[in-house]
Amino acid sequence: LTVECCGFLGAEYYDGYFEITQKLLERFVKPCTKQKDSVLLLGDNGGPWGHYAKEVTRILQEFGVEVIGQFPGYMAMDELEKVAAAEYAIVLGGRGQTQIGLRKVAEQLQEKYGT
């Protein structure tokens, strides 16, 4: 996949991140049956091994909700089919442009896949 952006020294640090996210959604994520009580974490925040994602996952497990992935940065190509299977999506913290971009991804997931 190629993206048209000028990197972190350009107009916006996250342009490439969100453009590749869009391309992954367009090319590799297909509608599918929802997995009951499942959630997709959106954003990085230190990855699945970071304190934030680990705590969110722990709390969700207490309610019987399974985290099926952390999109886009921490899902392998063969896991992308799980993106549309998630019943819910949670935007992991952040501020500014990152938060705005992740909310747009969440809105896209809702519109296209009913997540």
Side-chain angles (χ1 to χ4, degrees):
L1 296 173
T2 58
V3 294
E4 291 185 30
C5 65
C6 48
F8 69 92
L9 295 176
E12 175 53 50
Y13 181 81
Y14 295 102
D15 284 350
Y17 180 86
F18 288 115
E19 188 169 337
I20 199 71
T21 299
Q22 296 302 317
K23 290 187 185 284
L24 289 170
L25 287 172
E26 292 167 9
R27 292 189 184 183
F28 300 106
V29 177
K30 306 292 181 228
C32 64
T33 304
K34 293 291 180 198
Q35 181 179 327
K36 187 169 172 31
D37 297 325
S38 63
V39 68
L40 179 70
L41 301 181
L42 297 177
D44 291 349
N45 278 103
W49 312 277
H51 296 294
Y52 188 32
K54 285 170 76 172
E55 182 65 4
V56 169
T57 300
R58 184 192 68 77
I59 291 169
L60 290 169
Q61 286 174 340
E62 293 288 324
F63 292 99
V65 177
E66 179 187 358
V67 173
I68 61 172
Q70 192 166 340
F71 183 75
Y74 294 95
M75 294 184 79
M77 293 298 290
D78 63 346
E79 295 177 313
L80 291 179
E81 63 193 38
K82 295 179 184 178
V83 169
E87 198 168 20
Y88 306 101
I90 294 177
V91 174
L92 296 178
R95 287 177 258 174
Q97 295 298 329
T98 307
Q99 185 70 11
I100 293 167
L102 290 172
R103 286 183 57 132
K104 286 180 184 176
V105 172
E107 290 168 3
Q108 253 190 317
L109 288 170
Q110 183 180 23
E111 290 171 16
K112 192 167 183 177
Y113 306 109
T115 302

